CSV table of all heavy atoms in Angstrom, one decimal:
chain,number,residue,atom,x,y,z
A,1,MET,N,0.8,-1.2,0.0
A,1,MET,CA,0.0,0.1,0.0
A,1,MET,C,0.9,1.3,-0.1
A,1,MET,O,0.6,2.3,-0.7
A,1,MET,CB,-0.9,0.0,1.2
A,1,MET,CG,-1.9,1.1,1.3
A,1,MET,SD,-3.2,0.8,2.4
A,1,MET,CE,-3.1,2.3,3.4
A,2,GLY,N,2.0,1.2,0.7
A,2,GLY,CA,2.9,2.4,0.7
A,2,GLY,C,2.4,3.4,1.7
A,2,GLY,O,1.4,3.4,2.3
A,3,ASN,N,3.3,4.5,1.8
A,3,ASN,CA,3.1,5.6,2.7
A,3,ASN,C,2.0,6.5,2.1
A,3,ASN,O,2.3,7.2,1.1
A,3,ASN,CB,4.4,6.3,2.9
A,3,ASN,CG,4.4,7.4,3.8
A,3,ASN,OD1,3.4,8.0,4.1
A,3,ASN,ND2,5.6,7.8,4.4
A,4,GLN,N,0.9,6.6,2.7
A,4,GLN,CA,-0.2,7.5,2.2
A,4,GLN,C,0.2,9.0,2.2
A,4,GLN,O,-0.1,9.7,1.4
A,4,GLN,CB,-1.5,7.2,2.9
A,4,GLN,CG,-2.1,5.9,2.5
A,4,GLN,CD,-3.7,5.9,3.1
A,4,GLN,OE1,-3.9,6.3,4.2
A,4,GLN,NE2,-4.6,5.3,2.2
A,5,LEU,N,0.9,9.3,3.4
A,5,LEU,CA,1.2,10.8,3.4
A,5,LEU,C,2.3,11.2,2.3
A,5,LEU,O,2.1,12.2,1.6
A,5,LEU,CB,1.8,11.1,4.8
A,5,LEU,CG,0.9,11.0,6.0
A,5,LEU,CD1,1.7,11.2,7.2
A,5,LEU,CD2,-0.2,12.1,5.8
A,6,PHE,N,3.1,10.3,1.9
A,6,PHE,CA,4.0,10.4,0.8
A,6,PHE,C,3.4,10.4,-0.5
A,6,PHE,O,3.6,11.4,-1.2
A,6,PHE,CB,5.0,9.3,0.7
A,6,PHE,CG,6.1,9.4,-0.4
A,6,PHE,CD1,7.2,10.1,-0.2
A,6,PHE,CD2,5.8,8.7,-1.5
A,6,PHE,CE1,8.0,10.3,-1.2
A,6,PHE,CE2,6.6,8.8,-2.6
A,6,PHE,CZ,7.8,9.6,-2.4
A,7,GLN,N,2.3,9.7,-0.7
A,7,GLN,CA,1.6,9.7,-2.0
A,7,GLN,C,0.7,11.0,-2.1
A,7,GLN,O,0.6,11.5,-3.2
A,7,GLN,CB,0.6,8.4,-2.0
A,7,GLN,CG,1.4,7.1,-2.1
A,7,GLN,CD,2.2,6.9,-3.3
A,7,GLN,OE1,1.9,7.4,-4.3
A,7,GLN,NE2,3.3,6.3,-3.1
A,8,GLU,N,0.2,11.5,-0.9
A,8,GLU,CA,-0.5,12.6,-0.9
A,8,GLU,C,0.3,13.8,-1.3
A,8,GLU,O,-0.1,14.7,-2.0
A,8,GLU,CB,-1.2,12.8,0.4
A,8,GLU,CG,-2.2,13.9,0.5
A,8,GLU,CD,-2.9,14.1,1.8
A,8,GLU,OE1,-3.8,13.2,2.1
A,8,GLU,OE2,-2.6,15.0,2.6
A,9,ALA,N,1.5,13.8,-0.6
A,9,ALA,CA,2.5,15.0,-1.0
A,9,ALA,C,2.8,14.9,-2.5
A,9,ALA,O,2.8,16.0,-3.1
A,9,ALA,CB,3.8,14.8,-0.1
A,10,ARG,N,3.1,13.8,-3.0
A,10,ARG,CA,3.4,13.8,-4.5
A,10,ARG,C,2.2,14.2,-5.2
A,10,ARG,O,2.4,15.0,-6.3
A,10,ARG,CB,3.7,12.4,-4.8
A,10,ARG,CG,4.0,12.2,-6.3
A,10,ARG,CD,4.2,10.7,-6.7
A,10,ARG,NE,5.5,10.3,-6.2
A,10,ARG,CZ,5.9,9.1,-6.2
A,10,ARG,NH1,5.2,8.2,-6.7
A,10,ARG,NH2,7.1,8.8,-5.7
A,11,ARG,N,1.0,13.9,-5.0
A,11,ARG,CA,-0.2,14.4,-5.6
A,11,ARG,C,-0.4,15.8,-5.5
A,11,ARG,O,-0.6,16.6,-6.6
A,11,ARG,CB,-1.5,13.7,-5.0
A,11,ARG,CG,-2.7,14.0,-5.8
A,11,ARG,CD,-3.9,13.2,-5.3
A,11,ARG,NE,-4.2,13.3,-3.9
A,11,ARG,CZ,-4.9,14.2,-3.4
A,11,ARG,NH1,-5.6,15.1,-4.1
A,11,ARG,NH2,-5.2,14.4,-2.1
A,12,PHE,N,-0.1,16.5,-4.4
A,12,PHE,CA,-0.3,18.0,-4.2
A,12,PHE,C,0.8,18.7,-4.9
A,12,PHE,O,0.5,19.7,-5.5
A,12,PHE,CB,-0.4,18.3,-2.8
A,12,PHE,CG,-1.6,18.2,-2.1
A,12,PHE,CD1,-1.9,17.2,-1.1
A,12,PHE,CD2,-2.7,19.1,-2.4
A,12,PHE,CE1,-3.1,17.2,-0.5
A,12,PHE,CE2,-3.9,19.0,-1.8
A,12,PHE,CZ,-4.1,18.0,-0.8
A,13,VAL,N,2.0,18.2,-5.0
A,13,VAL,CA,3.1,18.8,-5.8
A,13,VAL,C,2.7,18.7,-7.3
A,13,VAL,O,2.9,19.8,-7.8
A,13,VAL,CB,4.5,18.0,-5.5
A,13,VAL,CG1,5.6,18.6,-6.4
A,13,VAL,CG2,4.8,18.4,-4.0
A,14,GLU,N,2.3,17.6,-7.8
A,14,GLU,CA,1.9,17.7,-9.1
A,14,GLU,C,0.7,18.7,-9.4
A,14,GLU,O,0.7,19.3,-10.4
A,14,GLU,CB,1.4,16.3,-9.6
A,14,GLU,CG,2.6,15.3,-9.7
A,14,GLU,CD,3.7,15.7,-10.8
A,14,GLU,OE1,3.2,16.3,-11.7
A,14,GLU,OE2,4.8,15.7,-10.4
A,15,MET,N,-0.2,18.7,-8.5
A,15,MET,CA,-1.3,19.7,-8.7
A,15,MET,C,-0.8,21.2,-8.6
A,15,MET,O,-1.3,22.0,-9.5
A,15,MET,CB,-2.4,19.6,-7.4
A,15,MET,CG,-3.2,18.4,-7.8
A,15,MET,SD,-4.2,17.9,-6.1
A,15,MET,CE,-5.1,19.6,-6.0
A,16,ALA,N,0.1,21.4,-7.7
A,16,ALA,CA,0.8,22.8,-7.7
A,16,ALA,C,1.6,23.1,-9.0
A,16,ALA,O,1.4,24.2,-9.5
A,16,ALA,CB,1.8,22.9,-6.5
A,17,LYS,N,2.2,22.1,-9.5
A,17,LYS,CA,3.0,22.4,-10.8
A,17,LYS,C,2.1,22.7,-12.0
A,17,LYS,O,2.4,23.3,-12.9
A,17,LYS,CB,3.9,21.1,-11.1
A,17,LYS,CG,5.1,21.0,-10.1
A,17,LYS,CD,5.8,19.7,-10.2
A,17,LYS,CE,6.1,19.2,-11.5
A,17,LYS,NZ,6.9,17.9,-11.5
A,18,ASN,N,0.8,22.0,-11.9
A,18,ASN,CA,-0.1,22.2,-13.0
A,18,ASN,C,-1.2,23.3,-12.8
A,18,ASN,O,-2.1,23.5,-13.7
A,18,ASN,CB,-0.8,20.8,-13.3
A,18,ASN,CG,0.3,19.8,-13.9
A,18,ASN,OD1,1.2,20.2,-14.6
A,18,ASN,ND2,0.2,18.6,-13.3
A,19,ALA,N,-1.2,23.9,-11.6
A,19,ALA,CA,-2.2,24.9,-11.3
A,19,ALA,C,-2.2,26.1,-12.2
A,19,ALA,O,-1.1,26.6,-12.5
A,19,ALA,CB,-2.2,25.2,-9.9
A,20,ASP,N,-3.3,26.7,-12.4
A,20,ASP,CA,-3.2,28.0,-13.1
A,20,ASP,C,-3.0,29.1,-12.0
A,20,ASP,O,-2.9,28.9,-11.0
A,20,ASP,CB,-4.6,28.2,-13.8
A,20,ASP,CG,-5.8,28.3,-12.9
A,20,ASP,OD1,-5.6,28.4,-11.6
A,20,ASP,OD2,-7.1,28.0,-13.3
A,21,ALA,N,-2.7,30.2,-12.6
A,21,ALA,CA,-2.2,31.3,-11.8
A,21,ALA,C,-3.1,31.7,-10.6
A,21,ALA,O,-2.7,32.0,-9.6
A,21,ALA,CB,-1.9,32.7,-12.6
A,22,ALA,N,-4.4,31.6,-10.9
A,22,ALA,CA,-5.3,31.9,-9.8
A,22,ALA,C,-5.3,31.0,-8.7
A,22,ALA,O,-5.6,31.4,-7.4
A,22,ALA,CB,-6.7,32.0,-10.4
A,23,ASP,N,-5.1,29.7,-8.9
A,23,ASP,CA,-5.0,28.6,-7.8
A,23,ASP,C,-3.7,28.3,-7.3
A,23,ASP,O,-3.5,27.6,-6.4
A,23,ASP,CB,-5.6,27.4,-8.4
A,23,ASP,CG,-7.1,27.7,-8.7
A,23,ASP,OD1,-7.8,28.5,-8.1
A,23,ASP,OD2,-7.7,27.0,-9.6
A,24,ARG,N,-2.6,28.8,-8.0
A,24,ARG,CA,-1.2,28.4,-7.7
A,24,ARG,C,-0.9,28.6,-6.2
A,24,ARG,O,-0.4,27.7,-5.5
A,24,ARG,CB,-0.3,28.9,-8.6
A,24,ARG,CG,1.1,28.5,-8.4
A,24,ARG,CD,2.0,28.8,-9.5
A,24,ARG,NE,1.7,28.0,-10.8
A,24,ARG,CZ,1.6,28.4,-11.9
A,24,ARG,NH1,2.1,29.6,-12.2
A,24,ARG,NH2,1.4,27.6,-12.9
A,25,GLU,N,-1.0,29.8,-5.7
A,25,GLU,CA,-0.6,30.0,-4.4
A,25,GLU,C,-1.2,29.1,-3.4
A,25,GLU,O,-0.5,28.6,-2.4
A,25,GLU,CB,-0.8,31.5,-4.0
A,25,GLU,CG,-0.3,31.9,-2.7
A,25,GLU,CD,-0.5,33.4,-2.3
A,25,GLU,OE1,-0.6,34.2,-3.3
A,25,GLU,OE2,-0.4,33.7,-1.2
A,26,SER,N,-2.6,28.9,-3.4
A,26,SER,CA,-3.2,28.2,-2.4
A,26,SER,C,-2.8,26.6,-2.5
A,26,SER,O,-2.7,25.9,-1.6
A,26,SER,CB,-4.8,28.2,-2.4
A,26,SER,OG,-5.2,27.8,-3.7
A,27,THR,N,-2.7,26.3,-3.8
A,27,THR,CA,-2.2,25.0,-4.0
A,27,THR,C,-0.7,24.6,-3.5
A,27,THR,O,-0.4,23.6,-3.0
A,27,THR,CB,-2.3,24.5,-5.6
A,27,THR,OG1,-3.6,24.9,-6.1
A,27,THR,CG2,-2.1,23.1,-5.8
A,28,ILE,N,0.1,25.6,-3.7
A,28,ILE,CA,1.5,25.4,-3.2
A,28,ILE,C,1.5,25.4,-1.7
A,28,ILE,O,2.3,24.6,-1.1
A,28,ILE,CB,2.4,26.8,-3.8
A,28,ILE,CG1,2.6,26.5,-5.2
A,28,ILE,CG2,3.7,26.7,-2.9
A,28,ILE,CD1,3.3,27.7,-5.9
A,29,VAL,N,0.7,26.1,-1.0
A,29,VAL,CA,0.5,26.1,0.5
A,29,VAL,C,0.1,24.6,0.9
A,29,VAL,O,0.8,24.0,1.8
A,29,VAL,CB,-0.3,27.1,1.0
A,29,VAL,CG1,-0.7,26.8,2.4
A,29,VAL,CG2,0.2,28.5,0.8
A,30,LYS,N,-0.8,24.1,0.1
A,30,LYS,CA,-1.3,22.7,0.5
A,30,LYS,C,-0.2,21.7,0.2
A,30,LYS,O,0.0,20.8,1.0
A,30,LYS,CB,-2.5,22.4,-0.3
A,30,LYS,CG,-3.8,23.2,0.1
A,30,LYS,CD,-4.8,22.8,-0.9
A,30,LYS,CE,-6.1,23.7,-0.5
A,30,LYS,NZ,-7.2,23.6,-1.5
A,31,ALA,N,0.5,21.8,-0.8
A,31,ALA,CA,1.6,21.0,-1.2
A,31,ALA,C,2.8,21.1,-0.1
A,31,ALA,O,3.3,20.0,0.2
A,31,ALA,CB,2.2,21.4,-2.5
A,32,LYS,N,3.1,22.3,0.4
A,32,LYS,CA,4.2,22.3,1.4
A,32,LYS,C,3.7,21.7,2.6
A,32,LYS,O,4.6,21.1,3.4
A,32,LYS,CB,4.5,23.9,1.6
A,32,LYS,CG,5.4,24.3,0.4
A,32,LYS,CD,5.8,25.8,0.7
A,32,LYS,CE,6.6,26.3,-0.5
A,32,LYS,NZ,7.2,27.5,-0.3
A,33,ASN,N,2.5,21.8,3.1
A,33,ASN,CA,1.9,21.2,4.2
A,33,ASN,C,1.9,19.7,4.1
A,33,ASN,O,2.3,19.0,5.1
A,33,ASN,CB,0.5,21.7,4.5
A,33,ASN,CG,0.4,23.1,5.0
A,33,ASN,OD1,1.4,23.6,5.6
A,33,ASN,ND2,-0.8,23.8,4.9
A,34,ALA,N,1.7,19.2,2.9
A,34,ALA,CA,1.6,17.9,2.8
A,34,ALA,C,3.1,17.3,2.8
A,34,ALA,O,3.4,16.2,3.3
A,34,ALA,CB,1.0,17.4,1.3
A,35,LEU,N,4.0,18.1,2.2
A,35,LEU,CA,5.5,17.6,2.2
A,35,LEU,C,6.0,17.5,3.6
A,35,LEU,O,6.6,16.6,4.0
A,35,LEU,CB,6.3,18.6,1.5
A,35,LEU,CG,6.2,18.4,-0.1
A,35,LEU,CD1,6.9,19.7,-0.8
A,35,LEU,CD2,6.8,17.1,-0.6
A,36,SER,N,5.5,18.5,4.4
A,36,SER,CA,6.1,18.6,5.9
A,36,SER,C,5.4,17.3,6.7
A,36,SER,O,6.2,16.7,7.4
A,36,SER,CB,5.6,19.9,6.5
A,36,SER,OG,5.9,20.0,7.9
A,37,SER,N,4.2,17.1,6.4
A,37,SER,CA,3.6,16.0,7.2
A,37,SER,C,4.2,14.6,6.6
A,37,SER,O,4.6,13.7,7.6
A,37,SER,CB,2.2,15.9,6.8
A,37,SER,OG,1.4,17.0,7.4
A,38,ALA,N,4.4,14.5,5.5
A,38,ALA,CA,5.0,13.3,4.9
A,38,ALA,C,6.5,13.1,5.4
A,38,ALA,O,6.9,11.8,5.7
A,38,ALA,CB,5.0,13.3,3.5
A,39,TYR,N,7.2,14.1,5.5
A,39,TYR,CA,8.5,14.0,5.9
A,39,TYR,C,8.8,13.4,7.1
A,39,TYR,O,9.7,12.5,7.3
A,39,TYR,CB,9.3,15.5,5.8
A,39,TYR,CG,10.7,15.3,5.8
A,39,TYR,CD1,11.4,15.2,4.7
A,39,TYR,CD2,11.5,15.4,7.0
A,39,TYR,CE1,12.8,15.2,4.7
A,39,TYR,CE2,12.9,15.5,7.0
A,39,TYR,CZ,13.6,15.3,5.8
A,39,TYR,OH,14.9,15.3,5.8
A,40,ALA,N,8.0,13.7,8.1
A,40,ALA,CA,8.1,13.2,9.4
A,40,ALA,C,7.9,11.8,9.6
A,40,ALA,O,8.3,11.1,10.6
A,40,ALA,CB,7.3,14.0,10.5
A,41,ASN,N,7.2,11.3,8.7
A,41,ASN,CA,6.7,9.9,8.7
A,41,ASN,C,7.2,9.0,7.6
A,41,ASN,O,6.5,8.1,7.0
A,41,ASN,CB,5.1,9.9,8.8
A,41,ASN,CG,4.6,10.6,9.9
A,41,ASN,OD1,4.8,10.2,10.9
A,41,ASN,ND2,3.9,11.8,9.7
A,42,SER,N,8.3,9.3,7.0
A,42,SER,CA,8.8,8.5,5.9
A,42,SER,C,10.2,8.1,6.1
A,42,SER,O,11.0,8.4,7.0
A,42,SER,CB,8.8,9.5,4.7
A,42,SER,OG,9.7,10.6,5.0
A,43,THR,N,10.6,7.2,5.2
A,43,THR,CA,11.8,6.6,5.2
A,43,THR,C,13.0,7.4,4.6
A,43,THR,O,12.7,8.5,4.1
A,43,THR,CB,11.9,5.2,4.3
A,43,THR,OG1,11.7,5.7,3.0
A,43,THR,CG2,10.8,4.3,4.9
A,44,MET,N,14.1,7.2,4.8
A,44,MET,CA,15.3,8.0,4.3
A,44,MET,C,15.1,8.2,2.7
A,44,MET,O,15.3,9.3,2.2
A,44,MET,CB,16.6,7.5,4.6
A,44,MET,CG,16.9,7.5,6.1
A,44,MET,SD,17.1,9.1,6.7
A,44,MET,CE,18.6,9.7,6.0
A,45,ALA,N,14.9,7.2,2.1
A,45,ALA,CA,14.7,7.2,0.6
A,45,ALA,C,13.5,8.1,0.2
A,45,ALA,O,13.6,8.9,-0.7
A,45,ALA,CB,14.4,5.8,0.0
A,46,GLU,N,12.4,8.0,0.9
A,46,GLU,CA,11.3,8.9,0.7
A,46,GLU,C,11.5,10.3,1.0
A,46,GLU,O,11.1,11.3,0.4
A,46,GLU,CB,10.0,8.4,1.5
A,46,GLU,CG,9.4,7.2,1.1
A,46,GLU,CD,8.3,6.6,2.0
A,46,GLU,OE1,8.4,6.8,3.3
A,46,GLU,OE2,7.6,5.9,1.5
A,47,GLN,N,12.4,10.6,2.1
A,47,GLN,CA,12.8,11.9,2.5
A,47,GLN,C,13.5,12.6,1.4
A,47,GLN,O,13.4,13.7,1.2
A,47,GLN,CB,13.5,11.9,3.7
A,47,GLN,CG,12.7,11.5,5.0
A,47,GLN,CD,13.4,11.6,6.3
A,47,GLN,OE1,14.6,11.6,6.3
A,47,GLN,NE2,12.7,11.4,7.4
A,48,ARG,N,14.4,11.8,0.8
A,48,ARG,CA,15.3,12.3,-0.4
A,48,ARG,C,14.3,12.8,-1.6
A,48,ARG,O,14.5,13.8,-2.1
A,48,ARG,CB,16.3,11.3,-0.9
A,48,ARG,CG,17.4,11.2,0.0
A,48,ARG,CD,18.7,10.4,-0.5
A,48,ARG,NE,18.4,9.0,-0.8
A,48,ARG,CZ,18.4,8.0,0.1
A,48,ARG,NH1,18.9,8.4,1.4
A,48,ARG,NH2,18.1,6.8,-0.1
A,49,GLN,N,13.3,12.0,-1.8
A,49,GLN,CA,12.3,12.3,-2.9
A,49,GLN,C,11.6,13.4,-2.5
A,49,GLN,O,11.3,14.2,-3.4
A,49,GLN,CB,11.5,11.0,-3.1
A,49,GLN,CG,12.2,9.9,-3.8
A,49,GLN,CD,11.2,8.7,-4.1
A,49,GLN,OE1,10.2,8.8,-4.4
A,49,GLN,NE2,11.7,7.5,-3.9
A,50,LEU,N,11.1,13.5,-1.2
A,50,LEU,CA,10.3,14.7,-0.7
A,50,LEU,C,11.2,16.0,-0.9
A,50,LEU,O,10.6,17.0,-1.2
A,50,LEU,CB,9.9,14.4,0.7
A,50,LEU,CG,8.9,13.3,0.9
A,50,LEU,CD1,8.7,13.0,2.3
A,50,LEU,CD2,7.5,13.9,0.3
A,51,GLN,N,12.5,15.8,-0.7
A,51,GLN,CA,13.3,17.1,-0.8
A,51,GLN,C,13.4,17.5,-2.3
A,51,GLN,O,13.4,18.7,-2.6
A,51,GLN,CB,14.7,16.7,-0.3
A,51,GLN,CG,14.9,16.6,1.2
A,51,GLN,CD,16.2,16.1,1.7
A,51,GLN,OE1,16.9,15.6,1.0
A,51,GLN,NE2,16.4,16.3,3.0
A,52,GLN,N,13.5,16.5,-3.1
A,52,GLN,CA,13.3,16.9,-4.6
A,52,GLN,C,12.0,17.6,-5.0
A,52,GLN,O,12.0,18.5,-5.7
A,52,GLN,CB,13.6,15.6,-5.4
A,52,GLN,CG,15.0,15.1,-5.3
A,52,GLN,CD,15.1,13.7,-6.1
A,52,GLN,OE1,14.1,13.0,-6.4
A,52,GLN,NE2,16.3,13.3,-6.4
A,53,MET,N,10.9,17.0,-4.3
A,53,MET,CA,9.6,17.6,-4.6
A,53,MET,C,9.5,19.1,-4.1
A,53,MET,O,9.1,20.0,-4.7
A,53,MET,CB,8.6,16.8,-4.0
A,53,MET,CG,8.2,15.5,-4.7
A,53,MET,SD,6.9,14.7,-3.9
A,53,MET,CE,7.4,13.1,-3.7
A,54,GLN,N,10.2,19.3,-2.9
A,54,GLN,CA,10.4,20.7,-2.4
A,54,GLN,C,11.0,21.6,-3.3
A,54,GLN,O,10.7,22.8,-3.5
A,54,GLN,CB,11.0,20.5,-1.0
A,54,GLN,CG,11.2,22.0,-0.3
A,54,GLN,CD,9.8,22.6,0.0
A,54,GLN,OE1,9.0,21.9,0.8
A,54,GLN,NE2,9.7,23.9,-0.3
A,55,GLN,N,12.2,21.1,-3.8
A,55,GLN,CA,12.9,21.9,-4.8
A,55,GLN,C,12.2,22.2,-5.9
A,55,GLN,O,12.2,23.5,-6.5
A,55,GLN,CB,14.1,21.2,-5.2
A,55,GLN,CG,15.2,21.1,-4.1
A,55,GLN,CD,16.4,20.3,-4.4
A,55,GLN,OE1,16.4,19.6,-5.5
A,55,GLN,NE2,17.4,20.2,-3.5
A,56,GLU,N,11.2,21.3,-6.5
A,56,GLU,CA,10.4,21.6,-7.7
A,56,GLU,C,9.4,22.7,-7.3
A,56,GLU,O,9.1,23.6,-8.1
A,56,GLU,CB,9.6,20.3,-8.1
A,56,GLU,CG,10.6,19.3,-8.7
A,56,GLU,CD,9.8,17.9,-8.9
A,56,GLU,OE1,8.5,18.0,-9.0
A,56,GLU,OE2,10.4,17.0,-9.1
A,57,LEU,N,8.8,22.7,-6.0
A,57,LEU,CA,7.9,23.7,-5.6
A,57,LEU,C,8.7,25.0,-5.6
A,57,LEU,O,8.1,26.0,-5.9
A,57,LEU,CB,7.3,23.3,-4.3
A,57,LEU,CG,6.2,22.3,-4.2
A,57,LEU,CD1,5.8,22.3,-2.8
A,57,LEU,CD2,5.0,23.0,-5.0
A,58,ASP,N,9.9,24.9,-5.0
A,58,ASP,CA,10.6,26.3,-4.9
A,58,ASP,C,10.9,27.0,-6.3
A,58,ASP,O,10.7,28.2,-6.4
A,58,ASP,CB,11.9,26.0,-4.2
A,58,ASP,CG,11.7,25.7,-2.6
A,58,ASP,OD1,10.7,25.9,-2.2
A,58,ASP,OD2,12.7,25.1,-2.2
A,59,GLN,N,11.0,26.1,-7.4
A,59,GLN,CA,11.2,26.6,-8.6
A,59,GLN,C,9.9,27.3,-9.2
A,59,GLN,O,10.2,28.3,-10.0
A,59,GLN,CB,11.7,25.5,-9.5
A,59,GLN,CG,13.1,25.0,-9.2
A,59,GLN,CD,13.6,23.8,-10.0
A,59,GLN,OE1,12.8,23.4,-10.9
A,59,GLN,NE2,14.7,23.6,-9.9
A,60,ILE,N,8.8,26.8,-8.8
A,60,ILE,CA,7.6,27.5,-9.3
A,60,ILE,C,7.1,28.7,-8.5
A,60,ILE,O,6.1,29.4,-8.9
A,60,ILE,CB,6.5,26.5,-9.6
A,60,ILE,CG1,5.9,25.9,-8.3
A,60,ILE,CG2,7.0,25.5,-10.6
A,60,ILE,CD1,4.7,25.0,-8.5
A,61,THR,N,7.6,29.1,-7.4
A,61,THR,CA,7.3,30.1,-6.6
A,61,THR,C,8.0,31.3,-6.9
A,61,THR,O,9.0,31.3,-7.4
A,61,THR,CB,7.4,29.8,-5.0
A,61,THR,OG1,8.6,29.4,-4.7
A,61,THR,CG2,6.4,28.6,-4.7
């Protein structure tokens, strides 16, 4: 089944990357919250992937 928080973070990051300008800010906030929640409950490998997702978010802000 996998780490649900990790999957949710991935989904929110993708949503933020594809959001239109009107929704982008609120979607980014949700993605950052999801990343934060997932980070505390993930393996080292997942944490590295979450860090990459965070970098992707930083690039679109």
Side-chain angles (χ1 to χ4, degrees):
M1 183 165 130
N3 183 339
Q4 283 192 323
L5 291 173
F6 179 83
Q7 297 299 328
E8 186 175 289
R10 179 181 290 173
R11 183 172 59 86
F12 275 113
V13 169
E14 285 304 314
M15 287 172 52
K17 288 167 46 178
N18 296 317
D20 59 23
D23 296 328
R24 182 164 290 144
E25 186 175 338
S26 65
T27 309
I28 288 172
V29 169
K30 290 176 187 175
K32 287 184 177 187
N33 287 338
L35 285 170
S36 179
S37 295
Y39 194 85
N41 298 294
S42 61
T43 65
M44 291 296 287
E46 289 171 334
Q47 287 178 355
R48 284 191 294 275
Q49 291 179 38
L50 291 166
Q51 288 171 343
Q52 290 174 340
M53 289 183 226
Q54 177 67 53
Q55 290 173 351
E56 291 175 20
L57 277 183
D58 290 345
Q59 290 176 356
I60 63 172
T61 56

